[in-house]
Amino acid sequence: SQKIEQNSEALNIQEGKTATLTCNYTNYSPAYLQWYRQDPGRGPVFLLLIRENEKEKRKERLKVTFDTTLKQSLFHITASQPADSATYLCALDQDSSYKLIFGSGTRLLVRP
Amino acid sequence: EAQVTQNPRYLITVTGKKLTVTCSQNMNHEYMSWYRQDPGLGLRQIYYSMNVEVTDKGDVPEGYKVSRKEKRNFPLILESPSPNQTSLYFCASSSYETRTDTQYFGPGTRLTVL
């Protein structure tokens, strides 16, 4: 069956360090993968998209990698700040059906 | 400002009392969708709509109805709510032009069914 896995345990890091979040998937062949940020009680907000033919994408302090052989995406936040504390969701398209499948998210806590 | 709005933001109701959660977007998006979010289960799609008068079931459609009579509106209807529908609900929209399904989410509706 198709599955998207994100680490359910919160990631707790010190301000200034790089946070690395993982998204693994099985039985999918996505054309692209997206990352969203969600604050408590709010709707997810789109951050970055990476296509299957791209290895890496950057936006300011954010970097996403996509390894279709490993079926894995890594999401990095460099020089992390307490304001980066949130839950981060990865999402895949399902066979170009205009349907996104979301992982359950990883909570990031950045300590001052 | 481009946005997706939902109303109400909070709702407490009783079993069996019909309710409607409204959703509206001002971005002229073709695609709209409803999700529910429960602890440990992530976002699960309830229904989606590819365009006016075109709707289809998502992963968890039981107990819900939708309609898409206008492009901007996509209400979610619970004909006879039950306690297992207590959840946080999100409406989202996206445009076919980007061909990437990037979703724009509303602020959420927290529903409690007693």
Side-chain angles (χ1 to χ4, degrees):
Chain A
S1 63
Q2 297 173 320
K3 193 188 291 186
I4 301 175
E5 289 184 335
Q6 294 185 258
N7 195 341
S8 59
E9 290 185 19
L11 179 62
N12 199 324
I13 65 169
Q14 185 73 41
E15 182 176 8
K17 300 293 186 183
T18 295
T20 298
L21 307 176
T22 304
C23 177
N24 295 300
Y25 60 93
T26 57
N27 298 323
Y28 281 109
S29 296
Y32 47 78
L33 184 147
Q34 304 185 32
W35 283 89
Y36 289 76
R37 169 184 172 140
Q38 186 175 23
D39 293 287
R42 294 183 168 235
V45 175
F46 171 74
L47 295 175
L48 276 172
L49 177 147
I50 186 165
R51 299 182 187 276
E52 60 178 337
N53 60 350
E54 297 175 318
K55 295 292 185 189
E56 182 179 297
K57 202 78 167 281
R58 291 177 184 260
K59 179 182 176 183
E60 297 171 352
R61 295 184 296 110
L62 308 180
K63 184 178 85 171
V64 173
T65 63
F66 193 12
D67 189 325
T68 54
T69 301
L70 291 178
K71 294 187 182 295
Q72 180 181 79
S73 174
L74 299 178
F75 177 79
H76 306 272
I77 304 175
T78 58
S80 60
Q81 304 166 0
D84 296 325
S85 298
T87 296
Y88 292 86
L89 310 173
C90 69
L92 307 176
D93 68 300
Q94 186 173 22
D95 304 323
S96 300
S97 61
Y98 296 103
K99 180 176 178 178
L100 279 183
I101 306 297
F102 285 84
S104 55
T106 298
R107 188 173 173 211
L108 172 65
L109 299 171
V110 181
R111 302 189 310 275
Chain B
E1 181 191 352
Q3 61 182 351
V4 178
T5 57
Q6 295 178 228
N7 282 293
R9 295 289 315 279
Y10 304 90
L11 180 60
I12 300 174
T13 189
V14 295
T15 299
K17 186 175 181 182
K18 180 180 179 180
L19 66 92
T20 299
V21 184
T22 64
C23 172
S24 183
Q25 51 94 5
N26 63 1
M27 294 169 280
N28 201 37
H29 285 168
E30 299 85 4
Y31 183 93
M32 296 185 75
S33 182
W34 276 102
Y35 297 87
R36 61 177 289 174
Q37 188 173 38
D38 303 288
L41 295 178
L43 283 164
R44 293 180 292 167
Q45 191 179 52
I46 303 170
Y47 268 94
Y48 64 96
S49 169
M50 306 280 277
N51 216 322
V52 176
E53 302 292 0
V54 181
T55 63
D56 208 346
K57 296 177 181 178
D59 299 316
V60 288
E62 294 77 22
Y64 305 95
K65 285 175 58 176
V66 293
S67 68
R68 187 93 181 272
K69 293 182 169 48
E70 304 167 284
K71 196 172 186 180
R72 63 183 293 127
N73 296 323
F74 190 44
L76 179 69
I77 303 155
L78 285 72
E79 294 268 1
S80 182
S82 62
N84 65 11
Q85 293 178 297
T86 293
S87 187
L88 181 57
Y89 291 86
F90 291 103
C91 179
S93 71
S94 65
S95 170
Y96 294 154
E97 287 183 10
T98 65
R99 301 183 66 81
T100 60
D101 310 331
T102 296
Q103 307 253 327
Y104 296 84
F105 284 84
T109 295
R110 187 168 292 280
L111 172 65
T112 302
V113 183
L114 302 174

